[in-house]
Amino acid sequence: MTSPRTLYDKIWDSHVVEEQQSGNSLIYIDRHIIHEVTSPQAFEGLRMAGRSLRRKDTIIAVPDHNVPTTPDRATRIDSIESKNQLDALERNVKEFDVEYIPMLDVRQGIVHIVGPEQGFTLPGTTVVCGDSHTSTHGAFGALAFGIGTSEVEHAMATQTLILKRAKNLRIDVSGKLGIGVTPKDVALAIIGKIGTAGGTGHVIEFTGSTFENMSMEGRMTVCNMAIEGGARAGLVAPDEKTYEYVKGKPKAPKGGQFEMAVNYWNSLKTDPGAKYDKEVFIDAADIVPQVTWGTSPEDVLPITGNVPSPADAENADHKAAIERALNYMGLEAGTKLTDIKVDKVFIGSCTNSRIEDMRAVAEVAKGRKVSVKEALIVPGSGLVKRQAEEEGLDKIFIEAGFDWREPGCSMCLAMNADKLEPGERCASTSNRNFEGRQGPKSRTHLVSPAMAAAAAITGHLTDIREL
Amino acid sequence: MDKFTKIRAVAAPLPIINVDTDMIIPQNFLRTIERTGLGKHAFHNIRYHDDGTEREDFVLNRPAYRNAQILIAGENFGCGSSREHAPWALMDFGIRCVIAPSFADIFHGNCFKNGLLPIMLPQEIIDDLMKDAQNGANAVFTIDLENFEITRPDGEVVKFEIDTFRQHCLVNGLDEIGLTMEKDEKISEFEAKQKAQQPWLYN
């Protein structure tokens, strides 16, 4: 009898093609999503070496990072380089005969929104994409992780990657979340606790009643940010909610195969007594709405807090980091977080652009008015957009003064025209507050969709519970 | 891929923790379809003023470090985005080795595919190397990957560890894809087995 195994162990073991002497393994890749930024050099590599795709049925391609989000996107060109990259993707998918969802297709959107919506992301599979937020798909109990372009090429040519087994990190959050506390706050609170390198070398399994009771959208938000905690992948065990979400999606197994798949997926849960290398326990009741003040996702505090001081640092490196962050962010130590005024608001990204996020924003926006310079809402896909419009949410947004856009990565990383001006401060539902992330000298505060909407209304960081 | 056996070069100190890949190569420069030419944009936002002139406070702009091939940095180097443009930019600038207490996983893996050597050492040793690196043009280190050795400017030798497969590939400049393609039969066997057990993955 084999010893008890974790969810991660089971998925890993079932994908080992070969154990190599060096301690690495050749791991089979089931699903691969491609976008325009990290794939052109991989296709070029294949072309130069005269190699082909091993299994094109495991790949879908969709443009997201560079696409314009304005209504005139069909004819608009934000930059010649962006156009070149988008054109290169179209050329490559045609040449290599890869399934492609073009920009004007209603299914187009951010890779990590599209995969689950199409039923391309399935429990128990390995999913890769040349994008670090591939961890999102772990919400389905898929081992999903971001890869570099060389690995994109490797996966395309061989359907495998050479990987070292990661350690198991369990993060358990149990109990009921308070009013105004969302999956985003859970993700940020976790990163605040373990730090941005806390999960390095590990795969996180999120366990506990808080995740069991969370929607698939919420689980995706949490797994999305596993990478901000240093873990290449995050996982939630598949359950009835997962199957309910997957069932009937275009690429999901059908009929008898679906039943067969569910049987298999039910066997993936971590066995009782399985050992984790590290365990972290958090009481859901201790989590309050979160906001970042600095330039790393670990620079996060409850919205009730104050901007920290370099004097609070535990060592010289961290003191220097706080000084650097305060200087960059233009903040004074001790300032109440709710006193920080914002210039713009961005609601979107693979972290928070799903239908639930749209509903949460609408709830705050209804009957109120935006007071900041610009407040963008960028749905994660054309399908999210369509559903939001069917529910009448777009009218609420527009009436409140939000700018309702077409789907894409947009101001999360500012590769298209959606960016902050130097020095501008933004409450953002995205995942990274790095220096320059939303444009040169941009200042980002990461928050939940409801908190971003509240900041758009009040003009400053706001405790959603007090709006 | 470029081979990496032994280099002797100046090391530049970059005593910043959590250096993310956005800092190494900002998003503006990701709109390329080439692997080359990114060196001039490496660290763009902390390297140049708005008018394009160089910032004196950035270490690689100082005369002694302009030809540095080694970076000594703080913990969690290369965190954030999976963009391989980060190692491409460092390599194109001329950096062949980064030494830090820890690296983010994706960046760490990407380095090896491009002939860039990431070396992990305990914080106490990094602190010493960081002091060495402050000595401008005298901060000359030797990195010997065949023998897993760093020789400090004063001649002291520091040993380091690295995955033996990655070391083998770097030292010999091997193409991993070519190596894996030799396993074609095993991969086909795996697929046949998986298809029988999980046919829905092969529709």
Side-chain angles (χ1 to χ4, degrees):
Chain A
M1 197 181 130
T2 54
S3 53
R5 293 182 298 163
T6 64
L7 169 60
Y8 169 66
D9 294 335
K10 291 183 190 184
I11 303 176
W12 175 272
D13 291 346
S14 67
H15 286 85
V16 175
V17 174
E18 182 191 64
E19 307 269 12
Q20 305 189 332
Q21 274 183 348
S22 59
N24 293 288
S25 304
L26 193 62
I27 294 296
Y28 195 78
I29 302 304
D30 299 318
R31 295 285 183 257
H32 190 172
I33 315 176
I34 282 172
H35 63 85
E36 75 278 19
V37 180
T38 58
S39 66
Q41 294 88 348
F43 281 112
E44 183 62 14
L46 292 178
R47 208 174 280 125
M48 302 276 284
R51 289 169 179 153
S52 53
L53 304 180
R54 187 180 173 88
R55 270 186 71 192
K56 62 184 184 198
D57 62 307
T58 63
I59 306 177
I60 55 171
V62 60
D64 60 0
H65 283 59
N66 268 305
V67 296
T69 61
T70 43
D72 61 350
R73 69 197 318 218
T75 51
R76 181 189 172 113
I77 297 169
D78 288 339
S79 79
I80 194 70
E81 292 96 336
S82 290
K83 182 171 182 339
N84 283 345
Q85 223 168 32
L86 292 164
D87 289 349
L89 183 65
E90 285 212 16
R91 272 200 314 277
N92 287 327
V93 296
K94 203 172 272 176
E95 181 184 337
F96 287 86
D97 193 23
V98 173
E99 180 173 349
Y100 179 57
I101 301 176
M103 183 178 74
L104 298 177
D105 191 302
V106 71
R107 299 166 301 161
Q108 182 268 338
I110 306 170
V111 280
H112 309 309
I113 310 292
V114 171
E117 275 180 354
Q118 294 305 313
F120 190 65
T121 305
L122 295 174
T125 57
T126 47
V127 180
V128 297
C129 172
D131 187 283
S132 61
H133 292 109
T134 307
S135 59
T136 310
H137 309 260
F140 291 80
L143 177 59
F145 51 91
I147 56 178
T149 298
S150 295
E151 287 184 314
V152 169
E153 187 180 338
H154 196 130
M156 291 197 297
T158 70
Q159 212 61 39
T160 64
L161 290 173
I162 301 168
L163 296 168
K164 185 154 263 165
R165 193 186 197 111
K167 291 181 177 158
N168 283 288
L169 166 58
R170 174 189 183 189
I171 295 186
D172 186 283
V173 184
S174 289
K176 201 167 174 301
L177 294 172
I179 290 169
V181 182
T182 69
K184 180 64 165 287
D185 301 299
V186 175
L188 287 169
I190 289 169
I191 295 160
K193 187 163 172 108
I194 68 171
T196 48
T200 303
H202 293 75
V203 165
I204 299 175
E205 183 180 345
F206 297 101
T207 67
S209 61
T210 307
F211 300 115
E212 285 161 19
N213 294 326
M214 205 176 263
S215 66
M216 289 310 295
E217 284 85 353
R219 292 177 189 178
M220 284 189 255
T221 298
V222 173
C223 288
N224 173 275
M225 292 198 72
I227 184 66
E228 308 319 328
R232 212 168 168 179
L235 288 166
V236 176
D239 60 10
E240 289 304 321
K241 266 186 200 163
T242 319
Y243 310 149
E244 192 55 39
Y245 182 102
V246 170
K247 197 171 188 174
K249 293 282 188 289
K251 291 181 181 300
K254 306 273 183 302
Q257 279 201 351
F258 188 80
E259 303 310 315
M260 190 180 172
V262 167
N263 272 338
Y264 173 69
W265 297 339
N266 276 330
S267 73
L268 295 170
K269 266 197 283 303
T270 292
D271 296 325
K275 291 273 180 295
Y276 294 90
D277 297 280
K278 235 165 44 175
E279 292 182 298
V280 174
F281 293 89
I282 296 173
D283 185 344
D286 292 341
I287 302 175
V288 301
Q290 305 277 307
V291 58
T292 63
W293 57 268
T295 54
S296 164
E298 70 187 7
D299 297 340
V300 67
L301 286 169
I303 183 67
T304 49
N306 299 315
V307 175
S309 158
D312 305 334
E314 52 202 57
N315 62 42
D317 279 351
H318 285 98
K319 180 163 182 274
I322 295 177
E323 280 166 355
R324 185 182 175 91
L326 292 183
N327 182 41
Y328 182 86
M329 293 296 289
L331 292 173
E332 294 278 340
T335 306
K336 269 179 66 129
L337 291 170
T338 48
D339 285 345
I340 297 173
K341 290 193 166 54
V342 300
D343 302 299
K344 292 185 177 171
V345 165
F346 171 63
I347 294 161
S349 86
C350 54
T351 313
N352 284 125
S353 63
R354 299 176 191 84
I355 189 66
E356 275 194 1
D357 302 317
M358 300 295 118
R359 291 181 191 136
V361 172
E363 201 175 315
V364 175
K366 195 165 191 169
R368 296 193 170 102
K369 289 283 178 206
V370 165
S371 72
V372 296
K373 249 193 280 192
E374 185 178 43
L376 287 189
I377 306 178
V378 184
S381 70
L383 293 174
V384 171
K385 182 166 196 269
R386 188 170 75 186
Q387 188 173 350
E389 290 175 352
E390 280 167 9
E391 294 179 18
L393 307 183
D394 57 322
K395 293 195 179 62
I396 298 172
F397 299 149
I398 293 164
E399 202 167 298
F402 286 91
D403 195 350
W404 177 235
R405 293 290 187 94
E406 298 294 323
C409 298
S410 181
M411 207 193 274
C412 170
L413 86 167
M415 273 194 76
N416 67 355
D418 308 337
K419 59 184 72 174
L420 299 178
E421 295 300 320
E424 278 184 338
R425 188 181 298 285
C426 181
S428 177
T429 66
S430 53
N431 38 59
R432 291 192 172 132
N433 50 349
F434 297 157
E435 291 181 19
R437 176 75 180 180
Q438 297 190 292
K441 299 187 180 164
S442 58
R443 293 163 169 164
T444 305
H445 296 276
L446 301 176
V447 288
S448 72
M451 293 268 283
I457 305 297
T458 64
H460 56 85
L461 297 178
T462 299
D463 188 338
I464 184 67
R465 299 169 302 179
E466 293 180 357
L467 187 71
Chain B
M1 183 180 75
D2 290 6
K3 280 188 192 182
F4 190 116
T5 48
K6 192 177 194 175
I7 60 167
R8 184 173 155 75
V10 167
L14 191 66
I16 304 177
I17 61 169
N18 299 325
V19 170
D20 55 71
T21 52
D22 275 76
M23 185 183 276
I24 298 170
I25 185 78
Q27 71 279 58
N28 275 348
F29 309 106
L30 304 184
R31 297 190 207 100
T32 172
I33 55 173
E34 315 274 332
R35 288 173 199 249
T36 52
L38 290 169
K40 56 183 178 291
H41 306 303
F43 296 107
H44 184 277
N45 293 347
I46 56 173
R47 180 170 161 196
Y48 301 108
H49 292 292
D50 293 346
D51 65 2
T53 57
E54 291 183 355
R55 287 172 56 151
E56 278 171 29
D57 62 354
F58 181 62
V59 65
L60 296 174
N61 287 336
R62 288 160 54 191
Y65 298 107
R66 296 190 86 89
N67 295 313
Q69 292 181 38
I70 303 163
L71 276 185
I72 317 271
E75 66 191 22
N76 199 28
F77 188 90
C79 61
S81 161
S82 60
R83 58 189 72 168
E84 199 160 315
H85 309 67
W88 294 339
L90 293 174
M91 283 289 285
D92 197 56
F93 178 88
I95 301 292
R96 296 299 312 275
C97 173
V98 183
I99 308 177
S102 57
F103 292 88
D105 291 334
I106 302 177
F107 175 82
H108 189 252
N110 285 343
C111 286
F112 289 107
K113 320 282 189 209
N114 292 283
L116 178 67
L117 174 64
I119 299 178
M120 230 181 299
L121 288 168
Q123 183 71 52
E124 312 84 76
I125 298 177
I126 297 291
D127 291 344
D128 290 342
L129 301 187
M130 192 72 81
K131 274 185 211 130
D132 288 348
Q134 312 281 359
N135 293 322
N138 293 327
V140 177
F141 289 66
T142 302
I143 315 277
D144 180 350
L145 181 56
E146 283 171 302
N147 294 299
F148 304 95
E149 282 177 1
I150 300 171
T151 307
R152 294 171 59 182
D154 65 1
E156 197 205 331
V157 170
V158 177
K159 293 294 255 183
F160 62 88
E161 287 177 18
I162 221 149
D163 181 291
T164 50
F165 172 72
R166 304 291 176 201
Q167 186 252 9
H168 175 71
C169 288
L170 269 185
V171 167
N172 297 292
L174 296 179
D175 165 22
E176 279 185 27
I177 298 177
L179 292 179
T180 301
M181 288 185 84
E182 291 171 15
K183 316 273 184 192
D184 179 61
E185 212 172 304
K186 284 210 157 171
I187 300 170
S188 296
E189 275 171 32
F190 177 93
E191 285 169 335
K193 200 178 74 190
Q194 193 192 42
K195 190 174 178 179
Q197 289 166 349
Q198 299 178 62
W200 59 89
L201 297 178
Y202 290 79
N203 286 336

